[in-house]
Amino acid sequence: MMLLLRPDLVGDGWRDLPAARYSMAHRLIPNYPVRNGGQGYVGHPALADPEFAKATLTVLMEEAMDLVRGLLDGTLRPSRGRSPFFAMPFFRTNFWPIAAGIGAAAVAFLLSMRKAQGDKT
């Protein structure tokens, strides 16, 4: 993609670079391509081809636009475009702030109930 989108950022010796493969455990570390002397890339740069990148970009855009068209004309349900993790509330972006708010309200309610019971005795 870099050869297609920003060839000015690609160095002259990219065809001579060796393949850079990383295990799944290494991929969990932030900035893993530059750790331990890495050169900052992942994959096989010697196999890069701007024509392949253009074909890939075309296919990805067509698939994305099919999804958008289906959502806009009503032939696809919105859940079709969501991640399967969206069904689990604790993976949603706004879950933890809402959970904290509900927890704070529950604690305040329980404290007010306890105080009210203390007044009666």
Side-chain angles (χ1 to χ4, degrees), residues 25-115:
H26 283 109
R27 291 179 190 191
L28 297 174
I29 300 169
N31 299 323
Y32 68 93
V34 293
R35 299 269 177 147
N36 300 324
Q39 294 185 359
Y41 65 90
V42 178
H44 305 271
L47 300 177
D49 181 28
E51 292 302 315
F52 181 74
K54 188 173 185 177
T56 303
L57 189 61
T58 302
V59 169
L60 289 174
M61 285 302 297
E62 286 174 3
E63 291 295 319
M65 289 311 297
D66 286 344
L67 181 64
V68 168
R69 280 188 216 98
L71 291 171
L72 290 176
D73 65 13
T75 58
L76 288 177
R77 294 187 334 213
S79 62
R80 170 76 167 80
R82 290 189 187 125
S83 164
F85 297 112
F86 188 79
M88 295 176 248
F90 51 88
F91 281 129
R92 293 185 187 180
T93 305
N94 60 352
F95 174 76
W96 293 112
I98 291 173
I102 291 172
V107 167
F109 176 74
L110 291 174
L111 288 176
S112 70
M113 293 298 292
R114 184 175 174 197
K115 190 179 240 185

